[in-house]
C-alpha cells in the first residue's frame, strides 16, 4: 500500500511536466542569468509590478462587489455586467503589457526566449 501511495505521489509530481526547462520558485528569475545592472533594473520593475498587481486585486474585488450588487437588483442589464468585466480585463491587461514591455526592453534575445517559456507566471489575474 505504501509503495502504491509513493508511486502515485511521484507520478503526480511528474505528470504536469511538459518538457520545458523549469526553475524551482514561482517568479524566480535566476534562470535568466541577469547581469548586475539588469538585476538592479529588474528589482525596480518587479517592485512596481507588485504594487500594480496589489492595486489590481483591490480594484477587482471592488468590481466583483459591484457585480454582486447588480445581481440583487430586480432588473439586470447585460451592458452593466459587460462594463464591469471589461474594466477588470482592461486594467489587468494594461498592467501585464506594461510589465512585459519593460522586461522585453531589459532582456537580450536569449533571455527573452527563456522568459517567454514561463510567461504564464506573469499573467495578471
Amino acid at each position: 500500500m505504501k509503495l502504491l501511495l509513493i508511486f502515485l505521489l511521484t507520478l503526480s509530481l511528474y505528470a504536469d511536466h511538459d518538457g520545458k526547462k523549469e526553475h524551482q520558485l514561482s517568479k524566480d528569475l535566476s534562470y535568466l542569468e541577469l547581469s548586475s545592472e539588469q538585476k538592479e533594473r529588474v528589482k525596480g520593475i518587479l517592485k512596481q509590478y507588485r504594487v500594480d498587481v496589489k492595486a489590481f486585486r483591490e480594484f477587482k474585488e471592488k468590481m466583483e462587489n459591484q457585480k454582486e450588487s447588480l445581481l440583487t437588483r430586480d432588473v439586470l442589464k447585460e451592458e452593466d455586467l459587460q462594463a464591469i468585466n471589461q474594466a477588470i480585463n482592461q486594467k489587468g491587461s494594461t498592467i501585464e503589457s506594461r510589465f512585459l514591455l519593460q522586461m522585453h526592453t531589459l532582456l537580450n534575445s536569449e533571455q527573452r526566449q527563456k522568459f517567454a517559456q514561463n510567461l504564464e507566471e506573469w499573467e495578471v489575474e
Side-chain angles (χ1 to χ4, degrees):
M1 185 65 166
K2 287 182 182 178
L3 288 176
L4 178 61
L5 183 59
I6 292 171
F7 174 74
L8 291 174
L9 179 60
T10 304
L11 182 63
S12 69
L13 290 174
Y14 290 103
D16 193 34
H17 186 49
D18 60 2
K20 292 182 183 177
K21 183 178 177 183
E22 296 182 25
H23 53 279
Q24 294 288 3
L25 302 173
S26 178
K27 298 191 178 174
D28 171 33
L29 298 175
S30 63
Y31 66 98
L32 294 177
E33 301 171 9
L34 300 170
S35 70
S36 297
E37 182 182 325
Q38 285 176 315
K39 285 179 185 177
E40 288 304 311
R41 289 181 56 198
V42 163
K43 284 180 187 178
I45 293 170
L46 289 177
K47 184 178 180 180
Q48 184 60 51
Y49 176 76
R50 286 187 201 106
V51 168
D52 292 344
V53 168
K54 182 179 179 187
F56 170 75
R57 289 185 179 135
E58 291 169 359
F59 171 78
K60 184 176 179 181
E61 184 177 331
K62 178 182 170 190
M63 298 305 285
E64 294 291 340
N65 289 339
Q66 286 183 10
K67 195 185 297 186
E68 288 175 18
S69 176
L70 289 176
L71 289 171
T72 62
R73 294 182 182 171
D74 290 336
V75 177
L76 178 62
K77 296 179 183 177
E78 184 178 358
E79 310 84 59
D80 295 339
L81 291 172
Q82 287 181 356
I84 290 173
N85 291 333
Q86 286 175 351
I88 293 169
N89 293 335
Q90 179 65 39
K91 188 168 184 85
S93 178
T94 299
I95 292 167
E96 186 177 318
S97 295
R98 184 180 317 125
F99 170 73
L100 294 177
L101 285 169
Q102 290 173 331
M103 290 301 292
H104 181 271
T105 302
L106 177 69
L107 302 175
N108 64 38
S109 60
E110 183 180 321
Q111 291 168 326
R112 285 185 207 130
Q113 287 287 332
K114 291 177 183 178
F115 185 75
Q117 291 176 356
N118 298 293
L119 194 57
E120 64 277 353
E121 289 183 17
W122 302 98
E123 292 177 355
V124 178
E125 300 178 305

